[in-house]
Amino acid sequence: MLLEGVDVRRGYGKVSLGEGRAAEVSTVAVRVWHVAECEHRPLSPESHGQLHEADTYVVHWRYTVTSLVSRRGADQCGAQALGKERSCYFFWQGRASSTGGRAAAALVTVELGKESEAQVLVSQGKEPPCFLQLFRGAMVVHAGHREALRSPGPWRLYLVRGELAEEGALLEVGCACASLRSRASLALVSAERGRLVLWHGSKALPSVRAVAHTACQWLTER
């Protein structure tokens, strides 16, 4: 993803500035707002990454791009002075979010940000790596609205998505055998009973299983 003339790629680590120059992207801070049609409110750090498919959110990413200089050959680099802090506002919309909620989130994004700051629309299921890594593998997309009172039963089922642990995400699916996939990993969670069961399909790749373990570890810690 190109932000302020720099391809930040996965949102962390070494990136190219062109003409043989390199830089390192590092996150400074992340803030998240839940947006309703009439109001918006910030989420606590513990709730970052806990999204709902019927809602919209604004995610503020503060980061630096620090130029690197070669040392003792092309394979070794050292950082110059810390790069200038940059900023990007992601406007995330769930697949079941309302038109009014999306419009409100767009207005909030403009209100919170400055004209010079990047603003990026992110649709559920099409999140770029630089967005996913903001939650360090702990992004969870729940069904329904954040404020809705739900009685979904004792168990909820989540499909594991992502190829890297830092970019993993859990997506709530129907709690039924029909949701199981031979090439996927799924987490069966009961908040009432304090239990989590991690299920791996027979053809799930080792990388998928590793992402699932990281995501579930975050769930149990929260």
Side-chain angles (χ1 to χ4, degrees), residues 87-170:
S87 182
C88 176
Y89 283 87
F90 293 102
F91 157 34
W92 185 90
Q93 57 184 30
R95 66 182 60 177
S97 58
S98 66
T99 301
R102 296 180 184 186
L107 291 174
V108 169
T109 303
V110 174
E111 175 186 333
L112 293 173
K114 300 177 182 178
E115 186 175 346
S116 59
E117 293 175 314
Q119 299 177 5
V120 179
L121 172 63
V122 177
S123 298
Q124 180 185 338
K126 298 181 180 179
E127 296 88 355
C130 63
F131 177 86
L132 293 171
Q133 64 87 27
L134 297 179
F135 309 110
R136 297 184 295 169
M139 177 174 155
V140 183
V141 180
H142 304 281
H145 289 279
R146 188 177 200 90
E147 306 298 341
L149 296 176
R150 294 183 58 194
S151 298
W155 294 96
R156 299 168 75 171
L157 187 63
Y158 295 86
L159 174 67
V160 178
R161 296 176 52 223
E163 299 178 356
L164 298 176
E166 298 84 356
E167 302 166 12
L170 297 176

Side-chain angles (χ1 to χ4, degrees), residues 153-218:
W155 294 96
R156 299 168 75 171
L157 187 63
Y158 295 86
L159 174 67
V160 178
R161 296 176 52 223
E163 299 178 356
L164 298 176
E166 298 84 356
E167 302 166 12
L170 297 176
L171 172 65
E172 186 172 2
V173 295
C175 192
C177 292
S179 297
L180 302 180
R181 298 289 184 271
S182 63
R183 298 182 183 275
S185 293
L186 294 96
L188 186 62
V189 182
S190 174
E192 295 178 1
R193 303 180 184 182
R195 294 188 61 189
L196 184 151
V197 178
L198 181 56
W199 180 91
H200 299 296
S202 60
K203 299 179 182 179
L205 297 175
S207 59
V208 173
R209 299 182 183 216
V211 171
H213 279 287
T214 299
C216 289
Q217 182 177 358
W218 277 109

